[in-house]
Amino acid sequence: MMIQHPFFVFLFFLSTSWFHPLLAQKLDKEQLLRKTNADPTALFIINGLPFDDSESAVIQLKLDSIDPAKAVSIEVLKTEKSTILRKDLIIINYAVQLSLERVQSLLSEIIPKFKDTYYGFSSHIYTDAQDPVLYIDGHKIHHTETKKAINTLSSSNQIAYIFEKKGEQSIELYGQNAKNGVVLIWTKDKL
């Protein structure tokens, strides 16, 4: 007997170098529902806080407060109506100031992932690359400079927010190293 997974996942992973049409302007609840084909009674989870469809005005106020350039992900989980969870989920994450302890904890997980060694500033293709793609304040960091950039930021205590999307991401959008994930960092002066 084959069991089907109850969710179909649509993921929009955002940075300033690739701006999804949903975020060309301020986030709008009705537009999100329409563009993602989500159920109108979808449960919104915004930076970990759930909002039911009965809180429509509150959801829109929260969406209005989000700077589209700071949105890091929008995930739409579509449910089959036969499952226990009968509502689609729209999960939105955006950059906010994290505590110093949280930043240090995330850095201790992320820094070891940048282990490739490059000699000089070359645009050659490194087919065995292990480093994820790195964005700092919305700008893609060249693969030969990622280790230096992340070490400089971590020692200067300037990191405000870190978001890591693990696993393979869109190579078409982020380049070859996206097969190793994407790391987004915002500094204190840009957040």
Side-chain angles (χ1 to χ4, degrees):
M1 178 172 145
M2 184 175 200
I3 299 175
Q4 287 187 312
H5 195 281
F7 298 109
F8 299 102
V9 179
F10 299 93
L11 173 64
F12 303 106
F13 190 66
L14 310 167
S15 75
T16 56
S17 69
W18 176 73
F19 228 60
H20 191 276
L22 288 174
L23 294 181
Q25 53 193 338
K26 288 286 187 184
L27 293 172
D28 178 75
K29 178 185 179 231
E30 297 306 317
Q31 182 184 21
L32 279 170
L33 291 170
R34 209 173 30 260
K35 294 280 187 179
T36 61
N37 202 26
D39 187 314
T41 64
L43 178 68
F44 278 73
I45 300 176
I46 303 173
N47 268 13
L49 299 174
F51 297 91
D52 193 77
D53 64 303
S54 66
E55 302 173 286
S56 188
V58 175
I59 292 170
Q60 190 55 56
L61 282 172
K62 189 68 176 166
L63 293 175
D64 288 343
S65 73
I66 298 172
D67 177 353
K70 303 295 189 295
V72 293
S73 71
I74 298 175
E75 296 179 65
V76 178
L77 304 177
K78 309 254 324 142
T79 62
E80 294 179 6
K81 298 305 175 193
S82 62
T83 63
I84 294 173
L85 179 64
R86 298 188 186 268
K87 292 186 177 194
D88 293 345
L89 298 176
I90 298 178
I91 304 167
I92 301 171
N93 289 301
Y94 62 94
V96 294
Q97 176 69 52
L98 297 175
S99 71
L100 179 60
E101 295 80 23
R102 182 70 181 135
V103 168
Q104 289 173 340
S105 173
L106 289 168
L107 277 172
S108 69
E109 295 173 22
I110 296 216
I111 288 175
K113 294 180 181 185
F114 291 90
K115 51 189 161 205
D116 292 340
T117 302
Y118 296 95
Y119 302 100
F121 193 83
S122 171
S123 61
H124 70 283
I125 295 174
Y126 184 18
T127 56
D128 295 332
Q130 300 298 309
D131 290 357
V133 175
L134 176 64
Y135 281 83
I136 297 176
D137 295 329
H139 301 285
K140 186 176 180 181
I141 306 303
H142 192 272
H143 63 274
T144 61
E145 299 293 315
T146 57
K147 205 182 297 186
K148 178 182 174 188
I150 203 163
N151 286 331
T152 300
L153 277 178
S154 65
S155 65
S156 68
N157 197 24
Q158 287 300 306
I159 297 175
Y161 184 81
I162 300 174
F163 183 83
E164 179 185 16
K165 189 61 184 169
K166 298 177 182 177
E168 188 169 327
Q169 301 303 307
S170 173
I171 292 173
E172 293 81 20
L173 294 175
Y174 299 108
Q176 182 180 357
N177 282 8
K179 68 181 189 228
N180 304 315
V182 177
V183 174
L184 301 171
I185 294 177
W186 274 269
T187 58
K188 292 177 181 176
D189 61 329
K190 300 289 183 177
L191 189 60

